[in-house]
Amino acid sequence: MATARLDAASAAAARGNLKVFAEIGHEFARFLARFGTPSDLPDEQRIAAFRAALRPGEPPEGQYYLRQAFTHYLRAMRATDPKARAESLLLANVEVGLHEQTRLQPEIAAALEAPFGGAAELERRLLEALLPGNRLVRWARVALAALLGRRGPLRAATARLADTARAATRRVVTARLMRLALPDGTALDLGEDLRGGFPADLERLTDPELLALLRVVDPTEDSLVGTGARDWADLADRLHCITDLFRCQAQRPDLLSPPFTDAQVASVESGVLP
């Protein structure tokens, strides 16, 4: 049973990773191919053509925030003022994060809820506890309830208990397992408030677009209080943590270092896990 739960969580995480690489990874590659080399065309014309290939509308289906993000990445690439560049990069990163996290909401929730097992499993276990050894009566009640579509007292109570158990599972997983390893060997427990502070260029923000977006996703302005996520499957809770994490870690040079050694890359390319 435990292995099945781990497999379910792993499968949900894998679906989410594939979704990110297939969509966002592809757009970053397309952006770098278009803007990583000189061109005789003006930036305005090239970015308009790039944006035109992205779907209008809000996520999860629309790509409005990706359209905005790559416009702001280009603005950061052309900026000469370090603070203006830092704020444009943060704005773009938060926009990509908002799109990504909205798109991945089903997979993230599924991964965190995998240990719970679902309402049907909970109902089966409750019936086993209430009617031990009486399989005929137990399964007859389940089959009859499913056949008639009735929501009797036991099923209603089980549904309420399932909602409570599902939420509790997400909170426990968030508190115990949501940890982010950094290149210097330190680890951040995402269920706890972020520590430290903001880099100098991002300590006092001035970009109007960035400030407007932060009012949507960051309920604790210019503060790390409350950034620890209670429930990583809650989109707003998760975005609050991620937004301030991006701001805190925005100017760490070691985050740009390759994540794998040459030997590990060779193993992956040969089809072997490093």
Side-chain angles (χ1 to χ4, degrees), residues 54-71:
L54 296 169
R55 296 184 300 275
E58 299 281 325
E61 299 306 323
Q63 295 177 309
Y64 167 78
Y65 287 109
L66 288 187
R67 287 182 166 197
Q68 295 297 102
F70 286 107
T71 302

Side-chain angles (χ1 to χ4, degrees), residues 103-122:
R103 286 273 288 154
L104 295 182
Q105 179 60 25
E107 289 77 20
I108 291 172
L112 266 73
E113 293 175 7
F116 165 58
E121 174 68 15
L122 178 61

Side-chain angles (χ1 to χ4, degrees), residues 116-186:
F116 165 58
E121 174 68 15
L122 178 61
E123 182 172 304
R124 184 185 66 80
R125 292 193 176 198
L126 282 173
L127 286 170
E128 286 180 352
L130 292 171
L131 300 170
N134 196 338
R135 296 189 175 216
L136 180 60
V137 174
R138 185 169 66 244
W139 291 115
R141 290 186 61 180
V142 174
L144 183 60
L147 179 64
L148 299 178
R150 292 176 179 171
R151 190 177 175 85
L154 178 59
R155 179 150 292 184
T158 302
R160 291 193 296 272
L161 179 59
D163 289 340
T164 301
R166 187 180 293 108
T169 299
R170 295 197 305 259
R171 289 195 296 271
V172 170
V173 172
T174 300
R176 300 297 182 185
L177 298 180
M178 295 306 303
R179 176 171 289 187
L180 179 66
L182 296 176
D184 62 1
T186 61

Side-chain angles (χ1 to χ4, degrees), residues 7 26 33 61 72 121 128 156 162 164-165 185 198 208 211 229 236 244-245 267:
D7 288 345
H26 174 267
E61 299 306 323
H72 296 133
E121 174 68 15
E128 286 180 352
T164 301
F198 306 124
L211 290 170
D244 280 302
L245 176 65
S267 294

Side-chain angles (χ1 to χ4, degrees), residues 204-244:
R204 291 289 178 263
L205 304 175
T206 59
D207 185 297
E209 290 180 278
L210 175 57
L211 290 170
L213 183 58
L214 291 184
R215 282 193 288 271
V216 176
V217 297
D218 185 0
T220 56
E221 180 181 358
D222 295 331
S223 171
L224 299 180
V225 174
T227 50
R230 290 189 69 246
D231 179 358
W232 197 253
D234 183 296
L235 178 60
D237 197 13
R238 190 166 73 246
L239 281 173
H240 183 197
C241 178
I242 290 171
T243 296
D244 280 302

Side-chain angles (χ1 to χ4, degrees), residues 194-195 197-199 224 243-251:
L194 299 169
R195 297 183 179 87
F198 306 124
L224 299 180
T243 296
D244 280 302
L245 176 65
F246 283 178
R247 187 174 174 184
C248 288
Q249 306 292 333
Q251 296 185 335

